[in-house]
Amino acid sequence: HSLGLQAYGADWNQRMVEMARENLAYFGYKAEVERADARTYTRTADALVTDLPYGRFSATDETVIRGILERGRALAPTAVYVFEHNITGWMAAAGYDEIAVYPVLKRAGFARYVHVACSNQAEEGA
């Protein structure tokens, strides 16, 4: 929104939806945030930016992450995914053609991987 773009947000956890809304309001950003499952989300976009579910407070498994990646590719040709480890193989399997990964070391034993991906394949019916 700060770049003059229309922004939307979604999370399956209602608590995270409310926190995102509060953060956006605090900074004066206008973006719609709704409760939704990323594996069945239908709003298309020019680009997708998401922090995939991970960590001890998330019960997410590989199947869920792969489903999010596949749906994300169908919704937007360009995506940025943040995850706890390198998932370029999963992203390639989801149909992304160009993938770059940037490890971000936070502190000893703690890192996040920023994946920037593009898909040149058009998805029908997304």
Side-chain angles (χ1 to χ4, degrees):
H1 187 266
S2 66
L3 296 172
L5 305 171
Q6 179 63 50
Y8 300 96
D11 199 297
W12 67 270
N13 184 322
Q14 186 62 37
R15 182 172 172 242
M16 295 294 116
V17 168
E18 296 303 323
M19 289 173 62
R21 288 176 179 162
E22 288 175 22
N23 287 338
L24 289 163
Y26 178 83
F27 290 105
Y29 296 141
K30 295 182 185 196
E32 180 182 327
V33 181
E34 62 186 314
R35 185 174 183 278
D37 185 330
R39 296 168 295 169
T40 58
Y41 201 61
T42 59
R43 187 183 305 264
T44 59
D46 293 326
L48 172 94
V49 179
T50 189
D51 193 359
L52 292 166
Y54 58 78
R56 62 182 170 206
F57 299 113
S58 176
T60 303
D61 63 15
E62 179 181 335
T63 304
V64 171
I65 299 301
R66 285 179 176 263
I68 292 170
L69 295 173
E70 289 170 11
R71 189 67 194 142
R73 191 196 62 76
L75 296 175
T78 301
V80 177
Y81 295 101
V82 178
F83 198 56
E84 63 185 338
H85 59 268
N86 187 333
I87 54 170
T88 55
W90 296 356
M91 294 175 71
Y96 286 102
D97 303 309
E98 303 171 31
I99 306 165
V101 62
Y102 305 94
V104 178
L105 304 176
K106 304 297 251 177
R107 62 180 183 270
F110 181 73
R112 289 295 172 249
Y113 294 83
V114 179
H115 303 80
V116 180
C118 295
S119 174
N120 298 315
Q121 303 171 18
E123 182 77 18
E124 302 241 354

